[in-house]
Amino acid sequence: REGAGPYTQGDVMEATDSLQPEKRKRIWVQHVNVDADILEMRVSAARARGLEPWQEEIAAGVLRHVKRARDAANRRDPTPWAVPNWWRGTLTEAAYRNLHAARAQMVDLLGDDELPAEVHGAMARAQLTLPRDDPRRIPARVIHGQPPERVRPFLRGLVDDSYQALDGKHAQLRSFRNILLLTALIVTLLVGLTVAVVSWQPTWVPLCFPNEVLMDGASGASVVQGQNCPTSSGDSGPGYGDVLVVALLGALGGALTAAISIRNLKGTSTPYDVPVALAMLKVPLGAFTAILALVAIQGDFVPGLSVLDSQEQILAYALIFGFSQQLGCSTSEPRPCSRICLAVRRSNPRLRPT
């Protein structure tokens, strides 16, 4: 550059980024960049209006938070690996927490005529994120008509507390998503190990039932002729493919419950794709349930149901038992996250991704 001073580190980074091929960024990165631009414009407007020396220090701190949020969103600082970042939410946490800190400190840069407009939004967010009996949830009428020097510190604390509560709910949702995925992985490994072992030694976990043939209709006498198995009827004993067929039908039943559970979803309306993680758990859980249910029937554990009369009946029961885990999951799965998802969805329309 002619007539310009020496290059700064920021100029070098900007030039380096411009030489690199443009990567397709996720939508949340665009949200962070837009919010960062808005905060920078508001700081510039506040400086144009005129700031006190102490407000200049706050403006510099706000811009530092904005820069950290932008660097995290664009994967400049920090730079975690892909899988740990997806699991821990490193970049999204760094970006949004810095943005929220900048928004809280922006209260000190607002003009006296801008404070009333910010109070109602901050209180609405606090009502959705803070507990109902939290003393920080003060009605708007309490501070109505108060001088700006009293409203400003109260508003700053309210914005900061509500955003901290929102960040905590996001972290709780991410932890719940990780628990679901880890459980799905463990169940899948257990089902795979069970299928491998039982296929190697089918007699260890037999899934066949006596094939009773009626000999005398008048007396009801019957005789056992072989066994009904998931892969055939009238065999002398269980085969290596029995457990595989049962697990497959149970997984199909679990996939049906997953399809039913996500039929009412409208896109990714929940942060961290919690409904998708729940659906992923249902498929291996269906196979797991089908195998255990047939073992329970073999041991006369189910009252009134001890013998399955045909191969078709065994297969049908395997499918039904794989689907039956929906009865337990449908009543329990919304409770851990329904309130969290509702508060996050209402308080921040730009939901975080994975």
Side-chain angles (χ1 to χ4, degrees):
R1 295 180 301 176
E2 296 182 0
Y7 289 100
T8 63
Q9 184 178 2
D11 296 332
V12 175
M13 291 181 61
E14 183 178 355
T16 304
D17 292 342
S18 63
L19 295 176
Q20 294 179 353
E22 184 68 20
K23 294 182 180 180
R24 186 175 182 181
K25 296 181 173 61
R26 302 192 63 177
I27 188 63
W28 74 272
V29 178
Q30 310 301 328
H31 291 169
V32 171
N33 287 330
V34 170
D35 291 342
D37 290 338
I38 293 174
L39 288 171
E40 288 175 348
M41 285 188 292
R42 295 185 67 181
V43 171
S44 299
R47 282 176 168 172
R49 186 176 62 244
L51 298 177
E52 298 291 337
W54 64 272
Q55 289 179 317
E56 282 290 347
E57 294 295 328
I58 294 176
V62 169
L63 293 179
R64 284 195 297 269
H65 281 298
V66 170
K67 182 181 182 302
R68 291 169 185 168
R70 200 190 295 275
D71 289 343
N74 293 278
R75 200 181 282 269
R76 289 196 290 262
D77 183 27
T79 55
W81 290 356
V83 174
N85 172 60
W86 171 79
W87 186 259
R88 301 172 184 170
T90 305
L91 294 179
T92 54
E93 286 296 318
Y96 278 96
R97 286 185 181 271
N98 278 285
L99 277 182
H100 293 166
R103 287 173 180 169
Q105 297 305 316
M106 273 296 301
V107 174
D108 289 319
L109 305 182
L110 298 177
D112 294 345
D113 56 338
E114 296 176 313
L115 286 178
E118 296 289 336
V119 169
H120 296 287
M123 287 191 168
R125 189 186 308 110
Q127 290 175 0
L128 291 171
T129 56
L130 298 177
R132 182 169 299 179
D133 56 348
D134 197 301
R136 293 169 293 182
R137 291 179 53 173
I138 301 176
R141 63 178 181 272
V142 175
I143 63 172
H144 180 70
Q146 297 290 333
E149 58 269 15
R150 297 190 61 182
V151 175
R152 199 181 301 274
F154 167 78
L155 180 59
R156 185 199 320 118
L158 187 63
V159 172
D160 187 43
D161 292 339
S162 61
Y163 274 128
Q164 285 188 13
L166 183 61
D167 291 334
K169 288 180 171 60
H170 276 288
Q172 190 174 356
L173 271 176
R174 187 181 65 253
S175 176
F176 182 58
R177 189 264 331 248
N178 293 346
I179 291 173
L180 289 175
L181 294 178
L182 190 60
T183 304
L185 177 62
I186 293 175
V187 173
T188 302
L189 293 177
L190 287 176
V191 170
L193 180 62
T194 302
V195 169
V197 172
V198 177
S199 297
W200 175 50
Q201 290 290 343
T203 57
W204 288 2
V205 184
L207 299 176
C208 299
F209 298 85
N211 182 26
E212 297 182 356
V213 179
L214 186 64
M215 301 300 295
D216 187 357
S219 61
S222 61
V223 63
V224 176
Q225 295 182 355
Q227 291 184 325
N228 294 320
C229 300
T231 54
S232 61
S233 294
D235 280 353
S236 59
Y240 68 90
D242 293 343
V243 67
L244 180 61
V245 172
V246 171
L248 179 60
L249 288 175
L252 291 177
L256 180 59
T257 65
I260 293 175
S261 66
I262 66 175
R263 64 180 177 180
N264 295 325
L265 291 181
K266 298 178 182 178
T268 55
S269 60
T270 305
Y272 297 110
D273 298 332
V274 172
V276 177
L278 282 169
M280 292 178 62
L281 175 61
K282 292 176 183 294
V283 177
L285 193 60
F288 194 65
T289 306
I291 296 174
L292 293 183
L294 289 182
V295 172
I297 294 176
Q298 279 276 6
D300 294 335
F301 186 77
V302 182
L305 185 63
S306 58
V307 177
L308 301 183
D309 299 329
S310 64
Q311 175 192 3
E312 292 78 10
Q313 195 174 18
I314 296 174
L315 299 179
Y317 270 99
L319 181 63
I320 292 173
F321 284 127
F323 179 82
S324 66
Q325 45 100 13
Q326 169 72 9
L327 300 178
C329 294
S330 61
T331 58
S332 61
E333 68 185 22
R335 295 180 182 178
C337 65
S338 59
R339 295 180 180 177
I340 305 172
C341 297
L342 183 61
V344 169
R345 189 181 302 120
R346 288 180 177 178
S347 57
N348 189 1
R350 293 176 177 178
L351 299 177
R352 303 186 194 181
T354 55

